Amino acid sequence: MCSVDSERLHAMQIGLIGLGKMGFNMRERLRRSGTEVLGYDPHVNSSDVSSIDALVEALPPPRIVWVMVPAGAPTQETITHLSQALSPGDLVIEGGNSRFSEDIHHAKALDARGIGYIDCGVSGGIWGLENGYALMVGGSEEHVDRAMPLFDALRPEGPRSEGFVHAGPIGAGHYSKMVHNGIEYGLMQAYAEGFELLEATKLVENVPAVIEAWSRGTVVRSWLLDLLVRALKDDPELSGISGWTQDSGEGRWTVEEAIRNAVPVPVISAALFARFASRQETSPSMKAVSALRNQFGGHSTSRADAALDQVKAAAR
Amino acid sequence: MCSVDSERLHAMQIGLIGLGKMGFNMRERLRRSGTEVLGYDPHVNSSDVSSIDALVEALPPPRIVWVMVPAGAPTQETITHLSQALSPGDLVIEGGNSRFSEDIHHAKALDARGIGYIDCGVSGGIWGLENGYALMVGGSEEHVDRAMPLFDALRPEGPRSEGFVHAGPIGAGHYSKMVHNGIEYGLMQAYAEGFELLEATKLVENVPAVIEAWSRGTVVRSWLLDLLVRALKDDPELSGISGWTQDSGEGRWTVEEAIRNAVPVPVISAALFARFASRQETSPSMKAVSALRNQFGGHSTSRADAALDQVKAAAR
Amino acid sequence: MCSVDSERLHAMQIGLIGLGKMGFNMRERLRRSGTEVLGYDPHVNSSDVSSIDALVEALPPPRIVWVMVPAGAPTQETITHLSQALSPGDLVIEGGNSRFSEDIHHAKALDARGIGYIDCGVSGGIWGLENGYALMVGGSEEHVDRAMPLFDALRPEGPRSEGFVHAGPIGAGHYSKMVHNGIEYGLMQAYAEGFELLEATKLVENVPAVIEAWSRGTVVRSWLLDLLVRALKDDPELSGISGWTQDSGEGRWTVEEAIRNAVPVPVISAALFARFASRQETSPSMKAVSALRNQFGGHSTSRADAALDQVKAAAR
Amino acid sequence: MCSVDSERLHAMQIGLIGLGKMGFNMRERLRRSGTEVLGYDPHVNSSDVSSIDALVEALPPPRIVWVMVPAGAPTQETITHLSQALSPGDLVIEGGNSRFSEDIHHAKALDARGIGYIDCGVSGGIWGLENGYALMVGGSEEHVDRAMPLFDALRPEGPRSEGFVHAGPIGAGHYSKMVHNGIEYGLMQAYAEGFELLEATKLVENVPAVIEAWSRGTVVRSWLLDLLVRALKDDPELSGISGWTQDSGEGRWTVEEAIRNAVPVPVISAALFARFASRQETSPSMKAVSALRNQFGGHSTSRADAALDQVKAAAR
């Protein structure tokens, strides 16, 4: 159980670059805790300063700057800019959805100028403002200690160990978040398959009610289940929802890392592939299977128009 | 929100056949609610009566008898016995892990003698005594209404809709529970794959701490995650746990039903197959793959003794 | 190497019920070998007799009647009819795509009247007329010996062991054919995934040519590969082929049997599920995943119309 | 249909670096065709020259040098050495199992010195000496034309298009070979699952005979099937074969590329994961699943010793 060092917290002042869905709410949660936050985002009216340089200028050293911009080029460019603008003794926390393998490059670039680095995986989505954000961080003991008041302000209430972890050296935070997201893919797909199977049988008359009944006392109760209950209350047959499902980098990286470490991940990969397939109007694989069946089977032709006929017939 | 009809509940008296891990605790939870329970189990000292016939004799009609014995022959035999021993107007609730397809047979056998039937999937395991049991039931409106005080006593506290559902006609309760368990397989495997991947990297220094940090604020928080945290507190490397994993009927039935309904269930089936594989000392499939590689590859022989050498070498 | 007993063969006279895609060509192949065949099919003009009874009448006892009609009710009805029409000492060969578990019922019904039974899995499709049909049979040694001239006439040229097997007692023939088809699903899907991956990269400029180059000398060469080469010669981008892919009973039964025997079949089941998914206009599973992402993520809405916009944008 | 330019072929003289299982036989096949080959391998007595430099010295320019050494560092070092030792106008053919992404680096390093480059995926294993090697190449039209006599000498007899392809620019050869190997994983696993299922049933009395019967006329006939028949003739129950199965880089790269291109590859990935799992004495995943079951289920403990008891009991 931790006791938050509130005096130190109140004295804190930080910079926050990126005021998108995540950063905007994080600024608000930090402010509620008494932290002074200077937020900057070139695309957002509510920026507190007009540029990264102005942000750096306004913060008294030693500074802490939290970076919360999209992974890839935007994060890379922000880190590069900060490596020039900040001073030795400052500290950067990279809280975006970067691949863990990027962290070592970011840390090196900053370290060359005497600037510290922490990578931080942040979970919580739009619910984080109220519920708090779960934080997985990588970096040195010294840097993590220094930023702890921020982590305590952002994380959910309750024991520190239940919403925060210093997972290891640089990269370990994003690695942990990556695996978290990989698991998330598997969990969502498991619920989704169960939902589809309930929908497929006539025996079960009220699928949303069955799923809601799993909310308490069952083995499958979870926050994701609660969200599914909510979604089904909004739209009991999900008729307004498309099956077209995006995937983020973390799911892919999880499977790549599994392959690199020879770890079998049949469930996480199946969930990832289901998303790939959801975005295909037609599957080239299945065209090949269908073509093979035509070749050997004299199977009733499944040329596109014939298939269309069958779909139409089935719809009647 | 429901209000339990406590007067009616207090007056209730039921029979409960089967005092195993589930039935024993359910009797206790029912008694705490004020229900009078006559429990019977031939293998348990704490039986309240000495036989099914004595149990029937002791209950005033119209009776409710809850059957909580192993699926398959024991349930079948108990239902058959009850169809002889009970009277028209009585009601049987079958709460075991039966396949939903059995329910229609049980219901018919009882209906021929004027006896009612409800199938009830019960979730909650050893935690049900304190937390309550989630209940998914199938049967007629009339029978379900009659047994509602029992369901209210057994289910978790809170709104009735969050731990109880009348899912549909006979069979719908066990069907819903079957799908629940299928989902459970997928969820467990998703966490397990994530755990293995965290263990496989040197970057993450304290795997149990990472998993505990997911307890609040994350997308993957759930009761199963809490249990994983507990298990890792007991045994941080799970060194005392075997990978040998049993599967119950529900996981298999879920995949069978998915096939019958042409529903793709890549995640639930992968979780099931992982359990099958966990119980194989050697995989005949992989012997065949290995034999093929030997044939075409001139791959370094992987005959059993050579493989042993490699395992030993790897262990050094 | 077997030597066909050609004298015995020439004397043979059999009945063949079912002159569809398979039966029609089998009659032709049998006739080319010198066998006298009386074919009957109520839906086919080229029937040699006008009814099953007429067919039985026309054959001198002890008779052999080959049944080659669709699995399920048509086969069941034909067997029932034959159990009445045939005489003790006659022999029925059931060559359709029946589930192996049906065979024991068919055999019993016939045996009660002194009539023998062989189940025979037949592979070869429309190519069987020229190439011969591979045959997997179940039944008694005595019955199989008696029908051997037919099997020799139908099977491919070459050693008998390379296109024919007496796999075991009744049911073993259809069981072997079922597993054959399960494997076929996996093989087709493996080629199909490779095809899709080649199509997905710009690096490979001529996908059909790459696949054709695998025809000789490679590890993946096979008859199915040859058919894929043919299909791509007809239609290099498979543009006239739909991805909508039917599945037959055997694929499903294979996975069911695997589950019953606790055999992990990740590849065969994945191939089966891919076919299920190919027939869904929208995936309820993926709608559920998408709905969950909307709930927690503030992910850009993927409601149906928005998705449509994206698809359209991608198509530009 | 090609006609080999035999005069040009006879005049050809090439260097071949790497005389392992593949290179040794390729030298032999090239010599049988009349090509003069100078082979070099530091670890092989039968080297024709004593060093790479001696090999380069002995060949008249413009030279062709075929590199056939293990992927990774050995190939990298050989290319680097050749970039120094060869002269403008020479040509290097890289025939090892390199990742396609390496080719562009190799080509650049050589091109800087005016040396040409072809990447060549080679399939055929130990059977290639007699059957020929299937070749998939990437590079410029000019270079491929120049090396064609070598390709014609190495590839299987028959039409050039059935054992050789110029797949595209540099990298396309190794890419095609990578996909070939990914498919190979899926094919092998499909046969293996079918084998295991046949072994699991008592109904089929002679599994090797069933598989042999698939050799002709069936949909699943293939070269891999022929090899499985051979393996089962050597050892009908594969009792001398371990299930421990290595995987090569290509299987992993195939899944990585599929992920990069958002191509669903459930079958190829399942085959890869089955190999990973085959090398685990204990599965950390399944320990986690087992630990979870213990937590919620009061499931009969599956601690390691208890599991051992069950395995022993099952073995009785």
Side-chain angles (χ1 to χ4, degrees), chain A:
Chain A
M1 184 74 73
C2 77
S3 75
V4 174
D5 177 345
S6 53
E7 209 161 338
R8 192 176 160 206
L9 189 70
H10 284 182
M12 267 212 147
Q13 201 180 17
I14 72 152
L16 173 59
I17 301 174
L19 298 170
K21 267 177 301 185
M22 293 295 286
F24 188 89
N25 282 341
M26 288 167 75
R27 179 174 62 174
E28 176 62 17
R29 187 168 172 95
L30 283 167
R31 285 180 173 163
R32 289 185 191 173
S33 76
T35 311
E36 285 180 42
V37 186
L38 286 179
Y40 171 69
D41 190 317
H43 310 300
V44 169
N45 285 334
S46 67
S47 282
D48 305 307
V49 291
S50 60
S51 70
I52 292 184
D53 292 337
L55 181 143
V56 169
E57 182 80 14
L59 288 170
R63 305 171 187 87
I64 299 184
V65 178
W66 191 298
V67 179
M68 207 67 202
V69 303
T75 294
Q76 178 58 56
E77 286 159 18
T78 305
I79 298 289
T80 302
H81 193 142
L82 287 172
S83 73
Q84 301 305 318
L86 291 175
S87 311
D90 291 347
L91 174 64
V92 171
I93 303 173
E94 206 283 79
N97 285 321
S98 300
R99 201 178 193 284
F100 71 95
S101 48
E102 294 301 306
D103 290 313
I104 200 72
H105 303 300
H106 297 161
K108 270 191 190 162
L110 292 165
D111 186 58
R113 303 250 315 154
I115 306 163
Y117 182 81
I118 289 174
D119 62 288
C120 180
V122 180
S123 182
I126 54 174
W127 301 76
L129 174 57
E130 300 307 327
N131 294 350
Y133 299 90
L135 306 170
M136 296 142 254
V137 310
S140 73
E141 207 63 62
E142 180 208 330
H143 291 144
V144 173
D145 278 352
R146 191 164 139 211
M148 192 61 81
L150 297 175
F151 299 141
D152 280 331
L154 287 168
R155 69 172 173 82
E157 289 185 28
R160 186 187 280 161
S161 65
E162 296 188 358
F164 169 86
V165 68
H166 180 189
I170 284 164
H174 277 134
Y175 197 99
S176 300
K177 177 57 166 35
M178 175 193 79
V179 175
H180 165 281
N181 283 34
I183 291 172
E184 177 191 314
Y185 276 54
L187 302 182
M188 288 165 80
Q189 186 70 21
Y191 287 117
E193 292 178 9
F195 168 75
E196 180 166 343
L197 190 49
L198 287 177
E199 286 283 351
T201 180
K202 290 227 168 62
L203 203 51
V204 171
E205 290 173 345
N206 189 340
V207 171
V210 168
I211 290 174
E212 186 181 354
W214 294 341
S215 301
R216 295 174 190 243
T218 67
V219 176
V220 304
R221 66 189 190 262
S222 72
W223 188 63
L224 277 168
L225 183 80
D226 294 344
L227 293 184
L228 186 54
V229 170
R230 277 175 56 103
L232 290 167
K233 282 196 172 151
D234 291 354
D235 184 351
E237 297 181 347
L238 304 181
S239 49
I241 305 282
S242 147
W244 195 96
T245 310
Q246 194 52 271
D247 73 287
S248 60
E250 286 94 344
R252 299 185 181 206
W253 301 332
T254 303
V255 179
E256 285 171 10
E257 274 305 293
I259 290 171
R260 212 169 61 83
N261 290 285
V263 169
V265 287
V267 157
I268 294 174
S269 61
L272 180 64
F273 295 149
R275 293 195 182 185
F276 291 169
S278 82
R279 303 198 301 262
Q280 298 183 317
E281 288 245 31
T282 318
S283 157
S285 284
M286 297 319 293
K287 290 174 80 157
V289 170
S290 199
L292 282 172
R293 294 186 88 233
N294 289 351
Q295 287 290 327
F296 72 72
H299 283 286
S300 61
T301 171
S302 53
R303 306 218 130 224
D305 47 359
L308 199 60
D309 288 348
Q310 295 183 55
V311 169
K312 281 178 189 161
R316 260 171 231 141

Side-chain angles (χ1 to χ4, degrees), chain D residues 107-158:
Chain D
K108 271 190 189 162
L110 292 164
D111 185 57
R113 303 249 317 155
I115 306 163
Y117 183 81
I118 288 174
D119 63 288
C120 180
V122 180
S123 182
I126 54 174
W127 300 77
L129 175 57
E130 299 306 326
N131 294 350
Y133 299 90
L135 306 170
M136 296 141 254
V137 310
S140 74
E141 207 64 62
E142 179 208 332
H143 292 145
V144 172
D145 279 352
R146 191 163 141 213
M148 193 60 83
L150 296 176
F151 300 141
D152 281 331
L154 286 169
R155 70 172 173 80
E157 289 185 29

Side-chain angles (χ1 to χ4, degrees), chain B residues 171-211:
Chain B
H174 278 133
Y175 197 99
S176 300
K177 177 59 167 35
M178 175 193 80
V179 175
H180 165 281
N181 283 33
I183 292 172
E184 175 191 314
Y185 276 55
L187 302 182
M188 289 166 80
Q189 186 70 23
Y191 287 118
E193 292 178 9
F195 167 75
E196 180 166 343
L197 190 48
L198 287 177
E199 285 283 350
T201 180
K202 290 226 169 61
L203 203 51
V204 172
E205 289 173 346
N206 189 340
V207 172
V210 169
I211 291 173

Side-chain angles (χ1 to χ4, degrees), chain B residues 63-292:
Chain B
R63 303 171 188 89
I64 298 183
V65 177
W66 191 298
V67 177
M68 207 67 202
V69 303
T75 294
Q76 178 59 56
E77 286 159 18
T78 305
I79 298 289
T80 303
H81 193 140
L82 286 172
S83 72
Q84 301 305 317
L86 291 174
S87 311
D90 291 347
L91 174 63
V92 170
I93 302 172
E94 208 282 80
N97 285 320
S98 300
R99 200 178 194 286
F100 72 95
S101 49
E102 295 300 305
D103 290 315
I104 200 72
H105 304 300
H106 296 160
K108 270 191 190 162
L110 292 164
D111 185 58
R113 303 249 315 154
I115 305 164
Y117 182 82
I118 288 173
D119 63 287
C120 180
V122 180
S123 183
I126 54 174
W127 300 77
L129 174 56
E130 299 308 327
N131 294 351
Y133 298 90
L135 306 171
M136 296 141 254
V137 310
S140 73
E141 207 62 65
E142 179 208 333
H143 291 144
V144 172
D145 279 350
R146 192 164 140 209
M148 192 59 83
L150 296 175
F151 299 142
D152 280 331
L154 286 169
R155 70 172 173 79
E157 289 185 29
R160 188 187 277 161
S161 65
E162 296 187 358
F164 170 85
V165 68
H166 180 188
I170 284 164
H174 278 133
Y175 197 99
S176 300
K177 177 59 167 35
M178 175 193 80
V179 175
H180 165 281
N181 283 33
I183 292 172
E184 175 191 314
Y185 276 55
L187 302 182
M188 289 166 80
Q189 186 70 23
Y191 287 118
E193 292 178 9
F195 167 75
E196 180 166 343
L197 190 48
L198 287 177
E199 285 283 350
T201 180
K202 290 226 169 61
L203 203 51
V204 172
E205 289 173 346
N206 189 340
V207 172
V210 169
I211 291 173
E212 187 180 354
W214 294 341
S215 300
R216 293 173 191 247
T218 67
V219 176
V220 304
R221 65 189 191 264
S222 72
W223 188 62
L224 276 168
L225 183 80
D226 295 343
L227 293 183
L228 186 54
V229 171
R230 279 174 56 102
L232 290 166
K233 284 199 169 147
D234 292 352
D235 183 352
E237 298 182 345
L238 303 182
S239 50
I241 305 281
S242 148
W244 196 96
T245 311
Q246 195 51 271
D247 72 287
S248 60
E250 285 95 346
R252 301 185 180 205
W253 302 332
T254 302
V255 180
E256 286 171 8
E257 275 305 294
I259 291 172
R260 211 168 62 83
N261 290 287
V263 169
V265 287
V267 158
I268 295 175
S269 61
L272 180 64
F273 294 150
R275 295 196 181 185
F276 291 170
S278 81
R279 303 199 300 265
Q280 296 183 319
E281 289 247 26
T282 317
S283 157
S285 284
M286 297 319 293
K287 292 175 78 157
V289 171
S290 199
L292 281 172

